[in-house]
Amino acid sequence: MTSAPVPASTPEPSFTLSLTRQWMVEHGRRPINVVLLIVVPVVFVTLSAGALADFADILGGASDLGEVEAATAGWAAAVLAGVAGFFHVSTSRDADSRLAAAGAGAGRVVASRLVSTAALVALASLGALVALRVRTDLATSPRVIGATIVFAVIYAGIGVTVGALVRSEMNGSLIVVFAWIFDVFFGPAMGGTAGFIRILPLHFPTLVVTDVASAHAGPLGDVGLSLVWAAVAISIAVVALTATTRPRRHVVRRTSPGLRRVGAAWSAANRQLRRMPAMWILILGLPVAFISASIAVTPSDPTPVELVENGHRGLRLLSMADVHGAVMVPITIGFLASLAGLFVILDSAQADRRLSLTRFRPVEILTVRMAVIAGASLMATAVSIAITAVSFRAVSWSLFILANVLVALTYATIGIIVGPIFGRLGGLYLLLVLPFIDIGLAQNAMFDAAPPAWGRYLPGHGAVRVMMDGAFTPTFDETGALLLALGWLVVLGAVATTVFRRVTVS
Amino acid sequence: MTTETVITNPRETATSVLYASGVWKAYRRGWWPRRRTFPVLKGSDLTMFPGEIVGLVGENGSGKSTLMKVLVGDLAADAGTVERTESFGYCPQVPVLYERLTCDEHLDLFGVAYGLEAGELDSARTSAYEELDFARFANTRVEELSGGTRSKLNLALAMLHNPRLLCLDEPYAGFDWDTYQRFWELTARRRETGSSLLIISHFIADEDRFDRIYDLVDGRTVLR
């Protein structure tokens, strides 16, 4: 009597469970995992819940200690599950792929990883809830238990996805931890209610656990959207894990020569940018120093500002601290973006010229350099806006962000133009002065309610008008200013392209 | 005076890998009213055939590097004709490199730029490291390299794709004696496989290594 052969692709429960057991044993053999399981809940839930509640109160978030205590359990479960999920996958990715290729099949390997990740989610949630039980009896509430598990599931999904896609352990774990920090400190428990913050993974679960109705969840409700987030996070994790575990087919992919060149140049240009520590210190440090300090030292006295509302131009009295907070963003971004343009172009101009003597086309090199400069400028924009968002609330975040992106791209192109013409030192001096005169003086409502006549001819005028409109009025009334800003960008982009071609092509 | 004509495809009517005729070039410096013109090349000619090592010598400021830049297309001539094989490599006088990329990353980038496939690139990289003996700096960034190793990388990038024509502008500046000897060994190997090398040199002692030598005098090339 012979038994029917089992198809290799069919998951075999006993084998999957056996693998799961192996993964859990492997996970437990890393002492740091066990230590984290104890330390994180103790620190977050037992020791620092009171301080976090005070902090949330200062930021205008949940002021009730009980609400924040309940959220701390979810936060602890999320970071534990995220980090555990990340290391669970990243440290064994190549071995998993080899195991799948050896006959275990990607389906079984991925299934076992998911089951063991589910066990880690259970452990993380349990640890957080036990710590919460030590402080309060909230841990017995079905709402708190359910929400805490959802927190852990969402971040386990994020951790597994990052673990599958990011090869470096340091980079991957930092991504998970920074995502979590952003999620917690810009979440509704800390007073974060602005539009774009609602897309953060823990936004709705935090509202559920703190028992606050959002009123913007639609027909699914806060609980429904929390579950959707959990399902999406796990689905993405399954897709990412399957893609990286599945044995590679030995198919030689033919990439078009142009795409291959652009890919290689893009990769090299990014490496160069990453290796400019001074630039990163500026991009990350300057917004903190400029924006935070400016807001902190500015009194909240009223100041008149010219705004357009429903088609009517008029003066409104606004808090000086708010106006300063809003205006410091484009000033900082203009300065940083122009420096990014200047240094990236000057650092690579000669070697780019040599590269253009090979099969590289000037347009390919130009595309890559522009993209890298735009990336650095947008990074400066993101950091500056994030710093401002701590203490300033724009009425329309989307318009505020759009206007600042326009400032970033405009001044990045100015940097590209200035660099080759004036050189490193001359260009640096010019770019210290130009954003200051344009955005810091001419467009700055702190000095004058409306820009002076000569200020209307400067490149930042249109974008800053759009920024002020988004920052302080609910409706969009600055179409002309937006077109002006786009016009500046097109003209400067054309000039930058010409300058770049002159530098890199004979 | 004729208008500038630089053609990047080989002329099929001759067997030459490089043909330049009546090349004129002047630099314009300063702003009005101190705008001045400095003529450098005044009708230079140069021809190279497969398997030749040709020297280009001249005083400082005679225009050797300018002529080479015109020949490789790095600089537009004011007038004249240049025809050249598409398969060429250029090694500039001063190493022109990306300060924050490593040697390996440079070789990868230029390998793609020359259209080498992955296997060809691996082989070319190994060969470049062996020929110039700098494999131990494969993962070192250019900003951390000595002047001599920069020169090696500078040269390696020019010959990575084994071109039919190599244009080298004082390639051994900064080389130690061993590397200098290696350089001439590799030029001999390239020449045996049919490649041609145009080398700007200051050393009279190298005279016997060249098949032909052009002197650049008063903006014109004179065959020695």
Side-chain angles (χ1 to χ4, degrees):
Chain A
M1 193 169 150
T2 56
S3 57
V6 178
S9 58
T10 306
E12 192 180 325
S14 60
F15 183 68
T16 305
L17 287 175
S18 165
L19 279 181
T20 305
R21 197 166 51 246
Q22 292 291 339
W23 304 151
M24 292 306 294
V25 170
E26 186 197 21
H27 191 80
R29 284 177 183 164
R30 289 177 69 127
I32 187 68
N33 293 334
V34 182
V35 172
L36 280 175
L37 197 65
I38 298 164
V39 169
V40 171
V42 168
V43 169
F44 259 92
V45 185
T46 312
L47 298 181
S48 59
L52 286 169
D54 291 342
F55 190 59
D57 192 25
I58 292 167
L59 294 179
S63 54
D64 179 53
L65 178 60
E67 290 175 7
V68 178
E69 276 181 329
T72 57
W75 294 337
V79 73
L80 271 176
V83 172
F86 170 77
F87 282 109
H88 193 52
V89 169
S90 76
T91 53
S92 52
R93 187 172 54 182
D94 292 337
D96 278 1
S97 184
R98 186 178 178 186
L99 186 65
R108 275 183 285 197
V109 174
V110 169
S112 60
R113 280 284 166 206
L114 288 177
V115 174
S116 50
T117 302
L120 294 175
V121 165
L123 278 173
S125 305
L126 185 67
L129 289 168
V130 166
L132 186 63
R133 183 73 185 89
V134 171
R135 267 189 81 96
T136 164
D137 58 1
L138 277 171
T140 56
S141 155
R143 176 175 54 79
V144 173
I145 293 171
T148 302
I149 293 171
V150 169
F151 272 74
V153 169
I154 290 173
Y155 262 82
I158 292 172
V160 169
T161 304
V162 176
L165 301 178
V166 179
R167 191 160 279 279
S168 158
E169 283 191 15
M170 191 184 77
N171 292 344
S173 55
L174 283 177
I175 289 171
V176 174
V177 170
F178 276 122
W180 175 83
I181 288 172
F182 200 76
D183 218 341
V184 168
F185 289 96
F186 287 89
M190 295 291 178
T193 54
F196 78 95
I197 283 174
R198 293 175 192 171
I199 63 166
L200 293 175
L202 295 185
H203 179 78
F204 289 105
T206 303
L207 289 168
V208 171
V209 82
T210 53
D211 203 16
V212 176
S214 70
H216 53 250
L220 289 175
D222 295 327
V223 173
L225 285 180
S226 299
L227 294 174
V228 166
W229 253 114
V232 168
I234 290 300
S235 302
I236 293 172
V238 169
V239 171
L241 197 52
T242 306
T244 52
T245 307
R246 194 170 46 208
R248 306 281 180 275
R249 288 183 196 151
H250 294 285
V251 177
V252 178
R253 286 189 188 168
R254 291 269 169 205
T255 313
S256 82
L259 279 179
R260 189 167 170 242
R261 285 194 297 270
V262 169
W266 170 251
S267 170
N270 271 306
R271 281 195 199 103
Q272 287 172 274
L273 184 66
R274 280 204 303 272
R275 294 168 186 171
M276 295 171 84
M279 178 63 70
W280 288 108
I281 289 169
L282 278 176
I283 286 178
L284 298 174
L286 204 67
V288 176
F290 265 29
I291 299 172
S292 307
S294 300
I295 295 172
V297 301
T298 309
S300 295
D301 300 344
T303 185
V305 175
E306 185 189 80
L307 293 168
V308 185
E309 188 59 43
N310 293 321
H312 299 294
R313 187 174 296 275
L315 290 180
R316 262 181 63 187
L317 286 178
L318 297 170
S319 155
M320 283 174 74
D322 280 352
V323 174
H324 209 182
V327 168
M328 281 311 292
V329 179
I331 295 173
T332 311
I333 290 170
F335 178 61
L336 288 174
S338 61
L339 287 190
L342 174 86
F343 285 118
V344 170
I345 284 297
L346 288 185
D347 251 30
S348 54
Q350 289 302 313
D352 279 351
R353 189 180 176 92
R354 182 174 186 181
L355 209 54
S356 74
L357 295 174
T358 65
R359 294 185 189 179
F360 264 101
R361 293 177 187 149
V363 68
E364 293 168 348
I365 303 173
L366 174 68
T367 304
V368 167
R369 288 286 164 227
M370 291 277 197
V372 166
I373 290 166
S377 306
L378 294 178
M379 184 78 75
T381 308
V383 173
S384 300
I385 289 174
I387 298 290
T388 310
V390 173
S391 48
F392 169 73
R393 300 279 175 271
V395 175
S396 167
W397 276 109
S398 52
L399 209 54
F400 186 77
I401 292 169
L402 170 71
N404 281 300
V405 167
L406 281 171
V407 170
L409 297 179
T410 302
Y411 269 91
T413 51
I414 290 174
I416 295 171
I417 295 165
V418 163
I421 296 173
F422 295 95
R424 199 173 294 265
L425 193 60
L428 182 61
Y429 282 130
L430 187 60
L431 294 176
L432 283 172
V433 172
L434 189 57
F436 177 71
I437 291 176
D438 179 6
I439 307 173
L441 285 179
Q443 320 301 338
N444 194 340
M446 293 285 288
F447 296 114
D448 219 335
W454 57 269
R456 296 171 199 276
Y457 300 102
L458 294 177
H461 177 71
V464 173
R465 292 312 302 167
V466 175
M467 185 277 292
M468 294 295 284
D469 192 70
F472 299 111
T473 72
T475 57
F476 177 56
D477 296 279
E478 292 282 10
T479 310
L482 179 60
L483 291 175
L484 178 65
L486 289 170
W488 265 106
L489 190 55
V490 169
V491 171
L492 288 171
V495 176
T497 305
T498 308
V499 169
F500 185 84
R501 281 189 68 91
R502 284 178 65 89
V503 172
T504 54
V505 184
S506 61
Chain B
M1 190 177 286
T2 57
T3 49
E4 167 262 333
T5 314
V6 176
I7 303 169
T8 54
N9 288 319
R11 190 163 70 165
E12 300 299 333
T13 53
T15 55
S16 61
V17 289
L18 178 66
Y19 169 79
S21 173
V23 175
W24 286 74
K25 178 69 187 176
Y27 291 110
R28 288 155 196 87
R29 295 280 185 264
W31 299 85
W32 182 89
R34 279 188 50 77
R35 181 87 166 152
R36 288 188 294 170
T37 300
F38 299 93
V40 179
L41 302 176
K42 302 170 184 171
S44 297
D45 307 315
L46 193 147
T47 308
M48 289 188 65
F49 297 96
E52 273 193 319
I53 299 181
V54 173
L56 181 60
V57 298
E59 295 175 358
N60 289 335
S62 59
K64 302 183 296 296
S65 295
T66 298
L67 177 57
M68 185 163 275
K69 283 181 180 176
V70 169
L71 295 177
V72 300
D74 191 27
L75 201 60
D78 295 333
T81 302
V82 176
E83 296 179 11
R84 168 191 78 225
T85 172
E86 275 187 276
S87 171
F88 78 99
Y90 168 50
C91 176
Q93 182 180 18
V94 178
V96 176
L97 305 163
Y98 295 103
E99 287 290 306
R100 291 180 186 80
L101 293 186
T102 65
C103 295
D104 256 356
E105 288 163 355
H106 271 90
L107 295 173
D108 286 347
L109 180 62
F110 275 77
V112 173
Y114 292 133
L116 299 182
E117 294 297 333
E120 295 172 314
L121 178 55
D122 283 344
S123 158
R125 186 195 294 116
T126 307
S127 168
Y129 282 138
E130 278 177 8
E131 283 189 307
L132 292 168
D133 188 29
F134 69 116
R136 61 189 177 284
F137 298 108
N139 294 312
T140 307
R141 292 186 202 173
V142 165
E143 62 191 353
E144 295 158 349
L145 292 177
S146 68
T149 311
R150 284 175 186 233
S151 296
K152 290 180 183 181
L153 177 60
N154 193 34
L155 176 60
L157 295 182
M159 61 184 201
L160 187 67
H161 55 311
N162 200 16
R164 288 181 60 204
L165 170 65
L166 265 169
C167 298
L168 312 177
D169 190 348
E170 295 187 47
Y172 33 67
F175 283 178
D176 55 34
W177 179 251
D178 278 352
T179 312
Y180 178 72
Q181 295 297 330
R182 279 173 187 273
F183 167 75
W184 284 111
E185 286 166 16
L186 80 86
T187 57
R189 282 197 297 277
R190 302 266 161 168
R191 176 211 221 171
E192 283 166 15
T193 59
S195 293
S196 309
L197 295 98
L198 174 63
I199 301 171
I200 291 180
S201 174
H202 280 306
F203 297 155
I204 302 297
D206 294 334
E207 193 170 348
D208 58 339
R209 298 182 191 270
F210 295 103
D211 296 309
R212 287 184 296 131
I213 292 178
Y214 284 99
D215 283 298
L216 194 55
V217 184
D218 292 333
R220 288 175 174 271
T221 44
V222 179
L223 196 56
R224 189 178 288 182

